[in-house]
Amino acid sequence: MKLTDFQEAFPDDAACMRFLEETVWANGRHCPDCGCLNTVPLAGKAAARHLYHCRDCHKQFTVTSGTWLHSRKLPLTKYFEILYYSVNSSFGMASTRIAEWTGVSQKSVWKILQAFRELQGFWLTMADKLANTVEFDTKYVGGKPRKAKGETGQKVKNKRGRGTDKQPVFVAAERQGEVRATVVPDESEATIRPLAEAQVDPQAHIMSDGDGAFAKIARSFALHSQCSHRDWDFARDGVHNNTAESFNSWVEHMRDVHFFVSKPHLQRYVNDVMSRWNLRVAVEREVTHRGQRVVRVFMEKMPLLDRLRTIFVHAVGCQVRRDRITGGIAVASCRSCPSY
Ligand SMILES: [Zn+2]
């Protein structure tokens, strides 16, 4: 979707409010406080503010009441514009860039995006478990550690893969489906097992590389196949973890956009990549392969408005609060979230 088309669709706050109301109240307008459907729109000046009255608890509300978009200081159109740049880009967008284009300060853009990334992680804790074929892998994120000096004073080569000083991220990817990526303190069985069991259906077919910890964890699932990358085996009879590896390359691309990501914020940036990956649909297409017409499945981006709808359906039910002491961001409450 072009920026001009987007601006035409959302010229003012009223248009944004209408879009939110259509999206969030698709199954009927409900009071965010008591959840009842017995509500009426207010007349006069209140109508311009999109205010509604609940006949049960006698409270007034709008579609953003009790959500992260409530009591905002910026116009709603700015939030939409910021999300447009972030969601419409292939590998995310730096807050400094968006600040230049929207005229909002970099600090505000960063805070909005961080709150939004935190929410993305929060919804995934309530999402359906991954099923069918699920690939496990570990991604190590971070720059190359400085070369350490050994006992003899000679430079020691840093380890690659397991045992490196980089930050491990556990990746579970459903083939032609969603992905779950979690920043973990280490890649031991004790750390990864509870995550895998919470995120993946027990009937799933697990595929992984030759990692010993994955082999032990996979015993809790219906089936396990592995290909040993050490023995140069990367794909055999449909057994591979290329989907997870492909997601890992998306995480790697993060470095082209965000030049510095600190460890405490890493999960939020991974959430960003994850939602970009998950907001896609499988599309069947006929292609020519070795002179023959064959049907292949491609993963394509959802149309922008559909992606925004999915985001807002979840976002509008949740509040995000910033912890003044630690500076951390957390989802404070989620009352009217449909999936809650
Ligand atoms: Zn009510």
Side-chain angles (χ1 to χ4, degrees), residues 30-36 38-39 54-59 61:
H30 56 264
C31 164
D33 222 55
C34 66
C36 79
N38 191 10
T39 61
C54 173
R55 279 175 167 164
D56 265 29
C57 65
H58 301 289
K59 279 183 184 156
F61 63 91

Side-chain angles (χ1 to χ4, degrees), residues 4 35 46 74-75 124 134 161 167 183 205 211 229 239 257 287 312 318:
T4 44
L74 287 169
L124 286 178
V134 180
Q167 179 67 49
V183 176
H205 181 180
D211 192 302
H229 290 182
V239 177
V257 181
V287 290
F312 280 124
C318 312

Side-chain angles (χ1 to χ4, degrees), residues 6 11 40 64 79 83 103 127 138 228 232 236 253 259 280 321:
F6 186 78
V40 279
T64 61
Y79 280 83
L83 284 184
T138 318
S228 173
W232 229 242
R236 165 181 39 87
H253 267 293
F259 291 107
R280 297 183 308 164
R321 287 281 169 266

Side-chain angles (χ1 to χ4, degrees), residues 42-311:
L42 290 171
K45 274 186 184 172
R49 287 163 56 205
H50 294 261
L51 263 176
Y52 297 89
H53 175 79
C54 173
R55 279 175 167 164
D56 265 29
C57 65
H58 301 289
K59 279 183 184 156
Q60 293 180 353
F61 63 91
T62 68
V63 71
T64 61
S65 291
T67 75
W68 70 302
L69 290 169
H70 186 62
S71 73
R72 56 188 180 271
K73 288 178 183 137
L74 287 169
L76 208 45
T77 43
K78 287 290 175 197
Y79 280 83
F80 272 62
E81 223 177 299
I82 290 166
L83 284 184
Y84 168 84
Y85 286 121
S86 176
V87 173
N88 210 22
S89 58
S90 295
F91 293 108
M93 190 69 71
S95 56
T96 43
R97 262 324 127 266
I98 299 180
E100 273 173 22
W101 293 336
T102 56
V104 180
S105 77
Q106 183 269 332
K107 246 185 180 176
S108 302
V109 173
W110 186 84
K111 275 184 192 169
I112 291 167
L113 289 179
Q114 286 295 79
F116 172 61
R117 289 167 188 149
E118 180 68 31
L119 275 172
Q120 288 164 333
F122 179 71
W123 312 325
L124 286 178
T125 59
M126 301 182 294
D128 291 339
K129 285 185 176 185
L130 303 179
N132 306 319
T133 306
V134 180
E135 301 172 10
F136 283 174
D137 201 12
T138 318
K139 167 79 187 142
Y140 299 93
V141 185
K144 271 185 192 161
R146 290 217 176 107
K147 277 188 180 173
K149 279 190 178 168
E151 282 171 21
T152 51
Q154 272 194 325
K155 283 184 177 173
V156 180
K157 214 179 167 199
N158 291 305
K159 271 192 178 177
R160 292 189 59 173
R162 185 170 269 269
T164 170
D165 285 336
K166 293 184 186 182
Q167 179 67 49
V169 177
F170 167 61
V171 177
E174 182 180 326
R175 243 176 236 179
Q176 283 153 18
E178 294 197 347
V179 79
R180 304 279 180 267
T182 322
V183 176
V184 284
D186 56 79
E187 57 275 62
S188 68
E189 189 202 340
T191 312
I192 293 180
R193 179 182 286 280
L195 284 172
E197 285 175 357
Q199 294 169 346
V200 183
D201 186 72
Q203 295 305 314
H205 181 180
I206 306 296
M207 292 191 187
S208 70
D209 54 16
D211 192 302
F214 286 151
K216 283 182 201 158
I217 293 163
R219 285 184 203 140
S220 313
F221 298 91
L223 205 61
H224 178 225
S225 317
Q226 60 181 8
C227 52
S228 173
H229 290 182
R230 193 175 287 173
D231 302 331
W232 229 242
D233 175 13
F234 291 96
R236 165 181 39 87
D237 308 329
V239 177
H240 61 79
N241 65 350
N242 292 348
T243 314
E245 300 272 10
S246 167
F247 174 78
N248 291 352
S249 77
W250 280 41
V251 176
E252 200 62 39
H253 267 293
M254 196 165 74
R255 287 162 66 179
D256 303 337
V257 181
H258 309 287
F259 291 107
F260 179 77
V261 175
S262 67
K263 277 190 183 178
H265 287 306
L266 180 61
Q267 181 67 59
R268 295 196 186 99
Y269 287 93
V270 170
N271 289 350
D272 199 46
V273 182
M274 219 177 351
S275 78
R276 227 170 281 283
W277 179 280
N278 290 344
L279 290 177
R280 297 183 308 164
V281 277
V283 180
E284 279 188 358
R285 268 248 177 88
E286 226 181 60
V287 290
T288 310
H289 179 65
R290 289 179 183 164
Q292 288 201 330
R293 301 294 286 169
V294 284
V295 176
R296 287 269 164 88
V297 179
F298 290 93
M299 296 303 287
E300 285 187 359
K301 271 185 188 175
M302 274 185 199
L304 181 74
L305 288 186
D306 286 348
R307 270 178 282 159
L308 283 181
R309 264 185 211 111
T310 316
I311 287 164

